[in-house]
Amino acid sequence: MPKTNGFTENADLYRTSLAHSELHDLESALEALPDLPGLSVLDIATGAGHTAFFFAQKHADTFAVDINEDMLRVAQEESDKRSLSIRFLKCPADDLMFDDETFDVASCRLAAHHFQDVDAFIAEVARVLRPGGTLLVIDNVVPDDDSETAQWLNRYERQRDPEHQVCLSASVWKERLEKHDFAVAQSDRFKKRLLFDPWMARMSKDDGTRDSLWQQLQSAPDSVLKYWDPKLDSENRRTVRLQRQILVATKVC
Ligand SMILES: C[S@@+](CC[C@H](N)C(=O)[O-])C[C@H]1O[C@@H](n2cnc3c(N)ncnc32)[C@H](O)[C@@H]1O
């Protein structure tokens, strides 16, 4: 099974992270999803569980998987506190432990950039979804038409998190989904401004490393500055503006 060591010592920070617990992106996808009450939903790479909580609170019958036991522990604790009934299981995204055609909806939010094999993940989702089922993917993306900027951003992400694999562009996501017989019903861009220091702290970066990574951003190519817009906010805190794609795709029968 692949490892996500970076999350182990910081699992608790994901419980409260605004980058993960603010759910405007999920709310905005709701219209493109089927009516959730009573549907079976699988949340893949659930982390501290925020997406699974969202579905369970909409009365979906919710399962959630992740490979990191510390993240699963935090998710289970938080789910219990909220009196939600979610089944959390240890399982990799590219080898799901479920029978064919088990779920109506699958979701994967802010996690696919960690996967070593995105195609294997999509193929597994296609297998466990019922015909006509829906996949919701939300992830950080790189620009479509500028491979140098895309490479720069992915290299930078790898300095923050050595287990980072790759952020794809929106058009590559669409191609990959279509290759596995999904029809993309919605693809929307969503810009999310993050506090830089908590973002770095979630991957155990000390003050010195944070300062040097911030400096590196200041001298990044113009295309990177335009794409991530690093700047101080009104309270003098360092921020970056990541770009996220919300994709809703239907499994073609
Ligand atoms: C940032 S967290 C996920 C956030 C969460 N989905 C949310 O909406 O708040 C990323 C998670 O992906 C998990 N992960 C990474 N690679 C994985 C894989 N191959 N299979 C399953 N989980 C994986 C990590 O263990 C981590 O818990």
Side-chain angles (χ1 to χ4, degrees):
M1 203 179 278
K3 290 208 165 49
T4 54
N5 297 325
F7 291 99
T8 299
E9 57 188 279
N10 298 307
D12 265 310
L13 295 181
Y14 284 84
R15 190 197 303 258
T16 50
S17 156
L18 291 180
H20 298 84
S21 63
E22 288 180 348
L23 304 180
H24 309 300
D25 49 351
L26 290 172
E27 290 291 351
S28 78
L30 208 47
E31 224 169 86
L33 297 178
D35 259 359
L36 291 170
L39 293 191
S40 55
V41 174
L42 173 63
D43 183 40
I44 298 163
T46 196
H50 298 290
T51 304
F53 305 156
F54 176 83
F55 284 114
Q57 279 158 347
K58 305 279 180 209
H59 308 290
D61 183 17
T62 309
F63 286 73
V65 295
D66 200 286
I67 51 172
N68 187 300
E69 285 172 14
D70 293 281
M71 295 297 265
L72 285 167
R73 174 187 50 77
V74 165
Q76 181 72 65
E77 283 171 11
E78 198 57 33
S79 170
D80 292 346
K81 262 197 222 158
R82 299 176 189 209
S83 304
L84 295 171
S85 169
I86 300 169
R87 271 140 301 177
F88 291 99
L89 297 158
K90 184 174 176 184
C91 171
D94 57 3
D95 188 13
L96 297 171
M97 62 202 303
F98 304 97
D99 290 340
D100 296 358
E101 302 187 4
T102 301
F103 295 99
D104 301 299
V105 175
S107 58
C108 183
R109 175 173 176 260
L110 308 179
H113 56 268
H114 296 289
F115 300 165
Q116 282 166 6
D117 188 346
V118 171
D119 278 297
F121 151 68
I122 301 172
E124 272 297 83
V125 174
R127 184 183 66 73
V128 302
L129 275 182
R130 299 196 173 110
T134 305
L135 168 60
L136 168 65
V137 174
I138 300 177
D139 207 4
N140 300 324
V141 287
V142 293
D144 273 320
D145 46 5
D146 180 352
S147 61
E148 270 181 35
T149 303
Q151 280 171 23
W152 197 101
L153 295 170
N154 275 309
R155 271 199 310 274
Y156 189 85
E157 290 260 20
R158 253 169 247 129
Q159 292 183 75
R160 171 182 171 264
D161 171 12
E163 286 157 2
H164 173 89
Q165 298 295 319
V166 67
C167 290
L168 302 175
S169 69
S171 64
V172 170
W173 263 114
K174 190 164 179 285
E175 273 166 33
R176 299 279 181 100
L177 290 165
E178 287 172 352
K179 182 173 141 193
H180 292 278
D181 292 331
F182 280 96
V184 176
Q186 187 176 315
S187 178
D188 288 331
R189 186 61 56 90
F190 168 67
K191 293 179 182 174
K192 177 79 179 167
R193 190 162 285 285
L194 299 186
L195 292 172
F196 177 85
D197 287 275
W199 183 47
M200 290 291 156
R202 285 195 291 279
M203 281 294 150
S204 306
K205 295 292 172 260
D206 61 26
D207 288 353
T209 312
R210 289 184 211 177
D211 289 347
S212 92
L213 284 170
W214 180 254
Q215 279 319 316
Q216 220 183 94
L217 258 188
Q218 306 312 301
S219 48
D222 283 349
S223 58
V224 169
L225 297 177
K226 199 165 161 212
Y227 197 75
W228 269 5
D229 190 28
K231 67 178 185 191
L232 299 179
D233 71 4
S234 55
E235 293 170 50
N236 229 21
R237 298 174 301 182
R238 305 188 276 204
T239 70
V240 283
R241 187 201 57 197
L242 301 192
Q243 302 213 20
R244 293 180 171 167
Q245 200 73 15
I246 305 174
L247 294 127
V248 180
T250 308
K251 177 180 162 180
V252 176
C253 305

